[in-house]
Amino acid sequence: MNEKIKKIKQHAQELRAEIELHNYRYYVLDNPTIPDAEYDKLLRELQQIEQDHPQLITADSPAQRVGAAPLKAFSQITHKIPMLSLNNAFDDAEVEAFDRRVCEGLSVDSVEYAVEPKFDGLAVSLRYEDGMLKTGATRGDGYTGEDITSNLKTIKSIPLSLPVRTPPSLLEVRGEVLMLKADFLALNQRQLAKGEKEFANPRNAAAGSLRQLDPGITATRRLTFFAYGIGEYQNAHMPQDKHSQVMAYLAALHFPVAKECTVVTGLQELLAYYQAIGAQRESLPYDIDGVVYKVNALLQQEQLGFVSRAPRFAIAHKFPAQEAVTQLLDIDVQVGRTGALTPVARLKPVFVGGVTVTNATLHNADEIERKDVRIGDTVIVRRAGDVIPEVVSVILDKRPVDAQVFAMPAHCPVCGAKAVRLPGEAVSRCTGGLFCPAQRKQAILHFASRRAMDIEGLGDKLADQMVDNAIVRTPADLYKLGLTALANLERMADKSANNILSAIEKSKQTTLARFIYALGIRNVGEATAKELAAHLGSLDRLIEADNERLQQIPDIGPVVAQSIVDFFAEQHNCEVIEQLRASGVHWDEHAGEPELSSAAAPLQGKTFVLTGTLPNMSREEAKESIESLGGKVTGSVSKKTDYVVVGADPGSKYDKALSLGITILDEAGLQALLQ
Ligand code: IVH
């Protein structure tokens, strides 16, 4: 190896350590010390080195977190130390019995426990050999799981190598992969915008993401990991006394350990911990389904041992079941903001996961048919996190003879306009538009909501009254309201009317993103509204943007673009916007990002991969020329790649391009295309 390459190798190694440290600060400590742009620069520099010198690539390189090729199938991995399950306790008495068994088994009066959240994700085992992440596997049946190494490597909070000079020769770290609630909501918004199916809950989303054969897809889903234990290890400085010390050891090796993990003594403190975590449950950034109690002293754990497949020294104290059985009394049809008709189950009240549920969504006509739900049936209802309760299935054995089949109405139950179901759509919609009082109410509620115009005090009841009394027909009417009109509403005192008026006044000062979101354009959620505001900078540019311009904005596909164009093509909508501006609703605007005219962007939508050294152009130059014409340059070859540009000494990307039958260009070919 010549001196120059040695230097580059050394520099790459420094970059890797630095990038992984920033990953740790950002994803594990939640405390980044450099701006995103700086981080991106470091990563790009490393990617460049690895592209130019593929022989310098290492298995633990953060530039290789994404980049593994799609698999045909997962292979199997055996867990030498099985991944066991936990017994469950569903109430205080069962916890008391557990604590009693533990005390008796150890012949002591009281025991110290390590207590932890019970993460509602997927168990995985990470195997580090000589400090390098070698394999990662699912739990499977506890004895054999699937090799999902490439997918796990895309999770930025999982260390690719252990940050110590003399790492253990072997260490298996066990824990749970999950998706944060916020990342789940954002993912579903993107799914919706792309016209793809939403995920039911963060656990399903995490499972679906980990089960991908193409790690490129997993990489687009933000997943998180929390460690909760260890498997096999050799030559590790593993604490031998307490589980809590093992967790501290893992934290020191940069593994994420939930900050809710702690140590308590005795039954009363176990139950207090359960209460405390239960109270925080909704506000935790991830879903949990209970807490876990583990005897803290490792020697005591050993003394207690295992019964069949679960340890005697640990138990999961579950939160109340999120599913319950009840009777379906009737099916009503609700009209949403965009006119969607949603069948809603009216239920015999039932206690589920801490609240009494009387309504649950049945989604749409197809779902009712698929689940064969009939009025009068006995059904299973589920409540998951913040999601609206849903009817999961029917208990057919209990179906009464007079159970009634439900049919979606042909007309809107609120305004009587025709209901239509467009081809390819799952829902029927009321065609009444804003003439339909139900849609009007929802539009106003959405407009006033916290993340939109944030008009405090304007809730369900008030929106109903405003629309029913015809003092508000569109959001613009809110800004024309006088004290008398408001105070005349039933049960509205002067004081509350004044509060509403000042909240409305306050909302006039807003941001472009909020305003766009508040308009309630179909398929435009909060994240999309932010993108639109950031890229276009002004409302007028949004109104004027055509389908093609809109699709130049990241994450905006043809479906969303068309919804936006349709919205502004509606004269009525433009009038409402004009009235809002005239009433003094305002926000800051900026110049936005320059538009690529279609003549100037002939490579729009085309993806390129560069490999090897080109005779006359540097890689940067080639990349810039492609991007200036609207094309994209990515680091790895996949089915979606349009062209692979090959220079001297190409890497494996060339072989891959050949095997996938992708168009290969040399520099001359690229030049011709650029012309
Ligand atoms: S310890 C020997 N700790 O629950 C016990 N498990 O039913 C090994 N889980 O498959 C598990 N949070 O996926 C442990 N803090 C926690 C956990 C936890 C979630 C899951 C794990 C396991 C299942 C056991």
Side-chain angles (χ1 to χ4, degrees):
M1 194 181 287
N2 68 30
E3 273 312 306
K4 193 172 150 222
I5 294 286
K6 253 190 204 157
K7 275 236 174 75
I8 297 177
K9 183 179 177 187
Q10 165 84 30
H11 181 52
Q13 214 38 46
E14 286 161 10
L15 280 170
R16 287 180 192 124
E18 192 177 350
I19 291 168
E20 281 299 89
L21 189 60
H22 289 307
N23 272 341
Y24 172 65
R25 288 186 178 136
Y26 188 97
Y27 292 100
V28 181
L29 300 182
D30 201 9
N31 184 18
T33 49
I34 56 167
D36 291 0
E38 279 303 295
Y39 173 87
D40 291 341
K41 224 173 94 193
L42 294 171
L43 189 61
R44 272 204 305 274
E45 192 183 348
L46 179 61
Q47 280 166 341
Q48 191 64 54
I49 294 178
E50 294 188 3
Q51 245 178 52
D52 294 343
H53 309 279
Q55 77 277 19
L56 297 183
I57 294 176
T58 60
D60 69 338
S61 172
Q64 304 294 320
R65 279 192 182 267
V66 203
L71 300 170
K72 293 229 159 49
F74 296 118
S75 50
Q76 303 264 303
I77 282 191
T78 312
H79 303 300
K80 259 238 195 95
I81 299 185
M83 296 180 73
L84 299 174
S85 49
L86 293 167
N87 286 325
N88 293 320
F90 292 101
D91 55 35
D92 292 2
E94 289 178 7
V95 176
E96 192 183 342
F98 161 76
D99 178 58
R100 198 175 332 111
R101 283 195 304 275
V102 167
C103 288
E104 282 171 12
L106 298 171
S107 314
V108 292
D109 290 338
S110 109
V111 173
E112 181 179 275
Y113 293 98
V115 292
E116 303 171 353
K118 184 165 192 308
F119 308 103
D120 196 6
L122 297 110
V124 299
S125 183
L126 307 170
R127 190 177 168 97
Y128 292 80
E129 292 175 16
D130 296 320
M132 302 277 263
L133 175 58
K134 266 278 143 54
T135 51
T138 60
R139 173 171 182 267
D141 63 3
Y143 300 93
T144 2
E146 284 178 324
D147 182 344
I148 52 163
T149 313
S150 302
N151 290 344
L152 290 170
K153 279 187 168 178
T154 68
I155 302 176
K156 302 245 182 52
S157 54
I158 293 183
L160 296 173
S161 55
L162 303 179
V164 282
R165 210 163 301 138
T166 46
S169 57
L170 174 65
L171 176 64
E172 266 179 25
V173 177
R174 289 174 174 180
E176 199 97 342
V177 169
L178 38 86
M179 189 177 281
L180 299 185
K181 294 174 188 170
D183 293 331
F184 164 74
L185 293 175
L187 170 63
N188 264 354
Q189 268 201 11
R190 276 182 286 148
Q191 292 289 105
L192 209 62
K194 285 192 291 189
E196 285 173 23
K197 220 179 107 231
E198 288 176 278
F199 292 97
N201 54 51
R203 189 180 185 283
N204 284 4
S209 306
L210 269 191
R211 242 187 263 117
Q212 294 290 335
L213 287 167
D214 181 357
I217 298 181
T218 312
T220 66
R221 312 278 175 78
R222 254 212 198 194
L223 296 169
T224 306
F225 172 78
F226 283 107
Y228 57 60
I230 51 164
E232 264 193 286
Y233 64 91
Q234 278 162 17
N235 307 319
H237 298 287
M238 185 66 70
Q240 300 295 320
D241 289 349
K242 296 184 171 188
H243 174 78
S244 53
Q245 292 166 345
V246 171
M247 297 310 287
Y249 169 76
L250 293 181
L253 289 178
H254 288 187
F255 289 96
V257 172
K259 57 176 183 301
E260 287 73 23
C261 296
T262 181
V263 172
V264 305
T265 304
L267 174 67
Q268 288 321 312
E269 289 185 19
L270 289 180
L271 299 178
Y273 180 75
Y274 176 81
Q275 290 299 334
I277 295 293
Q280 290 171 40
R281 185 177 183 189
E282 299 283 319
S283 59
L284 285 178
Y286 47 82
D287 278 348
I288 58 175
D289 53 354
V291 293
V292 181
Y293 310 138
K294 303 173 179 173
V295 170
N296 200 18
L298 299 175
L299 203 64
Q300 292 186 329
Q301 287 195 359
E302 215 171 295
Q303 270 175 280
L304 289 162
F306 297 83
V307 246
S308 72
R309 303 198 47 189
R312 270 201 204 92
F313 57 79
I315 199 161
H317 189 180
K318 299 285 278 275
F319 292 132
Q322 303 277 79
E323 282 187 1
V325 173
T326 187
Q327 205 193 349
L328 176 65
L329 303 176
D330 202 356
I331 298 179
D332 284 352
V333 174
Q334 258 174 17
V335 187
R337 175 165 59 83
T338 57
L341 301 189
T342 307
V344 177
R346 300 291 173 220
L347 305 167
K348 192 163 159 215
V350 62
F351 199 65
V352 190
V355 300
T356 301
V357 170
T358 51
N359 305 316
T361 179
L362 285 160
H363 300 289
N364 55 55
D366 287 351
E367 282 291 290
I368 294 181
E369 204 178 304
R370 190 176 65 77
K371 293 174 184 160
D372 186 21
V373 179
R374 302 186 193 175
I375 298 167
D377 269 338
T378 298
V379 293
I380 297 176
V381 191
R382 179 192 298 150
R383 211 187 136 247
D386 314 332
V387 202
I388 305 168
E390 61 167 353
V391 172
V392 187
S393 59
V394 174
I395 302 179
L396 284 177
D397 291 354
K398 300 204 173 157
R399 170 165 290 168
V401 283
D402 60 348
Q404 274 173 50
V405 175
F406 170 81
M408 281 299 277
H411 292 92
C412 171
V414 176
C415 73
K418 231 170 100 187
V420 295
R421 183 171 165 182
L422 297 176
E425 281 212 359
V427 296
S428 316
R429 284 175 201 280
C430 157
T431 52
L434 286 179
F435 297 100
C436 172
Q439 289 187 54
R440 229 183 278 151
K441 284 175 192 172
Q442 293 299 327
I444 286 161
L445 266 179
H446 172 78
F447 182 86
S449 65
R450 199 166 51 81
R451 290 162 180 283
M453 300 298 280
D454 193 18
I455 302 179
E456 218 184 299
L458 208 173
D460 260 342
K461 299 239 163 56
L462 186 53
D464 281 358
Q465 281 182 302
M466 285 172 164
V467 171
D468 293 342
N469 288 284
I471 59 169
V472 172
R473 315 184 111 253
T474 75
D477 294 339
L478 291 171
Y479 297 90
K480 299 172 196 158
L481 282 175
L483 185 62
T484 349
L486 264 181
N488 274 342
L489 296 176
E490 218 175 294
R491 261 173 273 147
M492 174 70 82
D494 271 9
K495 177 137 183 289
S496 357
N498 266 319
N499 286 345
I500 297 286
L501 285 179
S502 64
I504 291 174
E505 185 62 32
K506 205 172 117 205
S507 74
K508 285 183 180 173
Q509 151 101 38
T510 186
T511 65
L512 178 56
R514 276 177 177 274
F515 186 76
I516 295 172
Y517 174 60
L519 291 175
I521 305 169
R522 240 173 100 187
N523 299 317
V524 177
E526 208 186 353
T528 307
K530 281 186 182 155
E531 287 282 358
L532 289 167
H535 280 79
L536 296 172
S538 89
L539 185 67
D540 289 324
R541 270 192 293 277
L542 175 64
I543 295 175
E544 283 150 24
D546 60 12
N547 211 303
E548 201 176 323
R549 170 69 184 113
L550 290 167
Q551 286 190 54
Q552 289 179 359
I553 298 170
D555 286 340
I556 295 196
V559 176
V560 183
Q562 194 56 48
S563 304
I564 296 170
V565 170
D566 289 348
F567 182 88
F568 292 111
E570 192 71 55
Q571 180 61 30
H572 167 85
N573 291 333
C574 294
E575 279 167 20
V576 170
I577 290 172
E578 268 335 298
Q579 290 171 26
L580 285 166
R581 286 208 262 210
S583 324
V585 174
H586 66 281
W587 53 83
D588 285 343
E589 301 205 331
H590 62 86
E593 308 225 321
E595 169 181 9
L596 292 170
S597 73
S598 63
L603 299 183
Q604 169 97 42
K606 297 286 181 224
T607 306
F608 290 73
V609 173
L610 307 174
T611 179
T613 318
L614 300 178
N616 302 306
M617 294 170 102
S618 76
R619 205 177 272 258
E620 251 334 284
E621 282 165 354
K623 185 164 183 256
E624 271 168 23
S625 329
I626 293 168
E627 286 174 350
S628 71
L629 297 182
K632 254 198 218 142
V633 177
T634 65
S636 66
V637 179
S638 76
K639 278 186 300 206
K640 292 198 192 110
T641 310
D642 295 290
Y643 300 100
V644 173
V645 182
V646 178
D649 298 324
S652 63
K653 291 171 190 162
Y654 178 50
D655 303 327
K656 188 152 174 212
L658 285 176
S659 75
L660 289 175
I662 289 161
T663 310
I664 311 264
L665 300 173
D666 58 5
E667 190 185 274
L670 174 64
Q671 290 289 7
L673 200 67
L674 294 173
Q675 296 305 313

